């Protein structure tokens, strides 16, 4: 059993799901960590696991834009997206904006934030609701991280299959 995926909290042993979704609330990548793990360090591993198959050629692994909440508004996250030419739709934290303004000209330009694209960030929350519609995931019946992750992948596959059947039928 992989103990690194289980973390201690007041409620006992827990795990946390980090994921990426497309605009149709379909899962693109899943990462499971210990329950007390922070969200921001998992930003890059989640993005690196994205693989979208195309009819021809290599799978696409770079989205056009990434919408995330303020928890991911770090310099490391933004520089990773900038290096890969991915548009960052992440609002700036108030303390980060204040620190930038205190530096004056050396603080750099304010980050651009596309409000219309940011409104679509709720696709991740809607995907989590779809995943948790399966009682085994919502209640965490599976005690081992491996079987829990397998259940997540199975449910994610079911979401993709249902969406593809709707598109063809």
């Amino acid at each position: 059993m992989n103990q690194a995926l289980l973390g201690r909290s007041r409620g006992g042993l827990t795990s946390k799901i980090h994921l990426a979704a497309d605009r149709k609330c379909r899962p693109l990548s899943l990462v499971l960590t210990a329950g007390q793990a922070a969200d921001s360090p998992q930003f890059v591993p989640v993005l690196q696991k994205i693989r979208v198959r195309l009819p021809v050629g290599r799978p696409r692994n770079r989205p056009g834009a990434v919408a995330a909440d303020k928890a991911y508004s770090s310099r490391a996250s933004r520089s990773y997206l900038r290096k890969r030419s991915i548009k960052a739709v992440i609002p700036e934290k108030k303390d980060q904006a204040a620190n930038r303004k205190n530096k004056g000209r050396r603080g750099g330009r304010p980050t651009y934030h596309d409000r219309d694209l940011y409104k679509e960030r709720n696709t991740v929350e809607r995907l989590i609701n779809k995943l948790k519609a399966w009682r085994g995931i919502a209640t965490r019946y599976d005690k081992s991280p491996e079987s829990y992750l397998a259940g997540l992948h199975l449910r994610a596959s079911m979401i993709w299959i249902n969406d593809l059947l709707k598109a063809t039928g």
Side-chain angles (χ1 to χ4, degrees):
M1 180 157 89
N2 191 348
Q3 295 295 334
L5 299 179
L6 285 175
R8 282 258 174 230
S9 71
R10 287 186 209 160
L13 296 174
T14 61
S15 297
K16 189 185 285 187
I17 306 165
H18 305 274
L19 53 91
D22 65 0
R23 289 182 174 180
K24 294 182 179 179
C25 298
R26 297 179 300 194
L28 296 176
S29 67
L30 294 165
V31 173
L32 192 67
T33 61
Q36 77 274 9
D39 291 336
S40 188
Q42 301 308 318
F43 184 73
V44 174
V46 167
L47 286 178
Q48 288 176 338
K49 288 186 78 172
I50 293 176
R51 298 282 182 273
V52 178
R53 294 221 174 261
L54 300 172
V56 178
R58 295 183 312 189
R60 184 179 170 158
N61 60 4
R62 189 173 62 207
V66 172
D69 60 7
K70 290 182 182 183
Y72 299 97
S73 178
S74 68
R75 183 178 296 158
S77 298
R78 290 182 187 280
S79 67
Y80 175 78
L81 294 174
R82 199 175 311 112
K83 286 177 188 172
R84 298 196 66 211
S85 301
I86 300 171
K87 183 179 181 179
V89 185
I90 306 171
E92 191 175 29
K93 291 182 182 178
K94 289 182 183 178
D95 64 331
Q96 290 175 342
N99 289 337
R100 182 179 39 73
K101 288 177 183 176
N102 287 340
K103 290 181 180 180
R105 288 184 3 205
R106 292 180 297 121
R109 286 185 272 172
T111 59
Y112 173 72
H113 177 65
D114 188 344
R115 290 181 188 272
D116 292 330
L117 266 178
Y118 186 71
K119 289 177 184 175
E120 295 185 31
R121 187 187 62 81
N122 68 1
T123 56
V124 173
E125 278 78 14
R126 292 189 348 237
L127 172 60
I128 290 172
N129 288 338
K130 283 183 177 183
L131 290 171
K132 288 186 175 182
W134 212 26
R135 191 172 65 178
I137 292 173
T139 56
R140 182 67 198 261
Y141 285 141
D142 297 319
K143 297 302 177 196
S144 72
E146 291 83 7
S147 60
Y148 186 61
L149 188 60
L152 285 169
H153 283 289
L154 180 61
R155 180 65 181 142
S157 301
M158 291 167 61
I159 291 170
W160 269 96
I161 290 169
N162 286 339
D163 191 68
L164 293 173
L165 289 176
K166 286 178 190 173
T168 60

